[in-house]
Amino acid sequence: MTKEKSLKKEILVTLLSFSIFVAISIGFISMINFYLSKLTIIEHNQKQTIYQVESEVNKFLTQIYNLSTYIQNNYDENSSLLKNIVDTNDNVSGIFILSNAGIIENFYAKTNLNIYKGFDYSNQEYFKEIKNKVTDYWSNVFLSTVDEEPALSYSFISKDRIVVLMIKLKEVSDFISRFKNKDGTYMIKVFDSSGNVILNPNNPDLVFQRFNEKTQKVFTELIDKLEPYTFTIVEKTGWKIVVRESYELILKSLNSIIFGTIFTILIFICAAIFLSLKISKRVFNSLDDLQQTTTNIADGNYIIENKKSYYS
C-alpha cells in the first residue's frame, strides 16, 4: 500500500519553504548591494583623494615653472636673486648656475657642506640630460651634494647657461599628511618614475634610504598593470601617486552591516513562519469543518450545526 500524502502537510511545507526562500533571497541580495555600494563609495573617495593630491602636485609644479621663468627673465650674476628665491621658498633648497661645460658659475643653498664655484658638475644626471637636447628635466631621487640628503632637481636652459633647482617637496608632503586611514596610517605614497619612494609619511626613512619598490607588489600588481585613476601618474615628472587603504578595515566596517542584515533576515523568517502558520491554520480549520460536515451527511446524520466559516 502506498502511503497517502497529507495535503495539509504539503501545503504547509510549500508555504514555509517559499517564505524562507524569499527572506533569504532578499537578505542575500541586500548584503551584496550593501557590499558593492560600500566599495563604490570607498573607490569614489579614493579617486577624489587622488584628484586632490594631483591638483596639489600640479600647483606645486606650476610654482616651480613660474620660478624658472622668473630666473630666466631676471637673473644677473651680481644680483641677490638666487638668495632671495631660496630664502623665501620652502620647496627650493638650492640653486646652481652651470656653464655649458657643466662648471658651477654661481649658486646659493640654505645648507652648504662641500660645494664651491668652479666645481665640475658635468657628470651629474641633471646636466647630462639637458645636454641631450631636452629643454628641461625632472630628475629622480638622488643624494644631493649640497646637504648629502635625498633630493630632486629641476633643470632648464637659460640663455647660454643651465639652471638647476634643488627641490624639496615640503608643501606637497604637508598636504598629503592630511589624508589618513581609520587605523591612523597615512593614505598616500608617491614614487618617482624609476620606482624610488619620494614621499611616504608612514615611513620617512625609506625616502632617505632612496628605497626602490619597483619589484614590490605595489608595482608588479598595481602600477604596472592598472590604468590611472586606480593610482595616478603626474605626466610631466612621471611621478606615481598611490592611495592605500587596508582591505581588512574595509571588511571590518562591513561586518556591522552584514550582521544587521542577517539579524533582519532571521526576524523576517520568524515573521514569515508565524504568518504562514496563522494563515494555514485559518484555511485548514475551515477545511476541517467542511470535511466534518460532509462526513456527517454521508453517514446519514442530517441534524448538524454548520459552523460559521471564515470563507464563503
Side-chain angles (χ1 to χ4, degrees):
M1 292 179 64
T2 59
K3 189 176 180 180
E4 291 183 358
K5 292 183 178 180
S6 170
L7 179 61
K8 283 185 183 180
K9 184 177 180 180
E10 194 163 324
I11 292 175
L12 185 58
V13 169
T14 301
L15 190 59
L16 290 176
S17 299
F18 177 77
S19 300
I20 293 172
F21 173 77
V22 170
I24 293 176
S25 298
I26 292 175
F28 183 71
I29 293 171
S30 298
M31 281 194 292
I32 292 177
N33 285 335
F34 278 134
Y35 177 77
L36 294 178
S37 63
K38 178 70 173 178
L39 292 184
T40 300
I41 291 171
I42 290 172
E43 182 180 357
H44 172 77
N45 291 340
Q46 288 183 341
K47 285 185 177 181
Q48 292 304 310
T49 300
I50 286 180
Y51 292 142
Q52 291 181 59
V53 175
E54 183 184 30
S55 175
E56 186 68 18
V57 170
N58 285 330
K59 185 173 79 172
F60 160 78
L61 295 177
T62 300
Q63 292 175 355
I64 298 301
Y65 297 143
N66 289 340
L67 276 178
S68 67
T69 301
Y70 185 76
I71 292 172
Q72 285 177 317
N73 295 333
N74 297 279
Y75 174 69
D76 184 340
E77 292 182 23
N78 299 319
S79 73
S80 57
L81 178 68
L82 302 186
K83 181 180 186 303
N84 292 338
I85 290 176
V86 174
D87 287 343
T88 58
N89 196 311
D90 289 335
N91 293 314
V92 180
S93 61
I95 303 177
F96 298 158
I97 307 296
L98 306 180
S99 69
N100 275 328
I103 306 300
I104 296 179
E105 293 184 350
N106 197 3
F107 75 95
Y108 181 79
K110 292 178 181 178
T111 303
N112 176 23
L113 298 180
N114 49 10
I115 182 172
Y116 301 96
K117 290 182 181 181
F119 274 24
D120 186 353
Y121 270 31
S122 59
N123 288 324
Q124 297 293 335
E125 178 186 9
Y126 45 74
F127 175 79
K128 290 191 290 186
E129 290 294 333
I130 289 292
K131 294 301 288 184
N132 288 335
K133 308 300 183 184
V134 296
T135 56
D136 62 348
Y137 174 70
W138 279 96
S139 74
N140 290 324
V141 177
F142 64 94
L143 188 64
S144 172
T145 55
V146 176
D147 51 15
E148 295 185 352
E149 290 187 4
L152 300 165
S153 71
Y154 174 66
S155 50
F156 58 92
I157 297 175
S158 176
K159 300 176 182 177
D160 57 346
R161 298 181 178 91
I162 294 172
V163 181
V164 182
L165 303 180
M166 292 297 177
I167 304 298
K168 285 190 173 181
L169 304 176
K170 186 179 185 307
E171 290 182 5
V172 178
S173 178
D174 292 342
F175 182 79
I176 70 171
S177 297
R178 303 175 190 173
F179 298 95
K180 288 187 176 182
N181 293 310
K182 292 181 180 179
D183 60 355
T185 58
Y186 295 96
M187 295 180 68
I188 309 295
K189 292 173 72 173
V190 183
F191 303 91
D192 65 21
S193 59
S194 63
N196 294 314
V197 178
I198 296 177
L199 292 173
N200 184 5
N202 287 310
N203 192 350
D205 288 340
L206 294 180
V207 180
F208 289 97
Q209 296 167 11
R210 290 181 294 167
F211 186 73
N212 189 290
E213 294 196 22
K214 194 68 176 176
T215 59
Q216 304 297 316
K217 284 186 177 181
V218 67
F219 270 85
T220 58
E221 296 184 8
L222 174 65
I223 293 176
D224 291 341
K225 290 185 178 181
L226 303 181
E227 295 291 329
Y229 281 79
T230 308
F231 64 98
T232 190
I233 297 176
V234 182
E235 293 184 2
K236 185 70 176 179
T237 61
W239 297 346
K240 300 167 183 67
I241 301 170
V242 178
V243 175
R244 57 173 294 277
E245 191 164 359
S246 172
Y247 195 71
E248 291 180 1
L249 288 176
I250 295 174
L251 294 180
K252 184 181 279 188
S253 67
L254 289 171
N255 285 344
S256 59
I257 296 176
I258 293 173
F259 289 143
T261 305
I262 292 174
F263 180 74
T264 304
I265 291 173
L266 293 176
I267 295 295
F268 190 87
I269 289 175
C270 292
I273 292 174
F274 174 76
L275 292 174
S276 297
L277 291 174
K278 191 168 177 114
I279 293 171
S280 62
K281 183 179 179 180
R282 178 175 291 172
V283 173
F284 291 139
N285 283 347
S286 297
L287 290 176
D288 287 340
D289 292 341
L290 178 61
Q291 183 185 24
Q292 185 62 44
T293 300
T294 56
T295 300
N296 288 335
I297 293 174
D299 291 340
N301 182 13
Y302 300 104
I303 305 174
I304 55 173
E305 182 183 353
N306 287 327
K307 294 182 179 179
K308 188 177 180 179
S309 174
Y310 180 80
Y311 302 100
S312 300

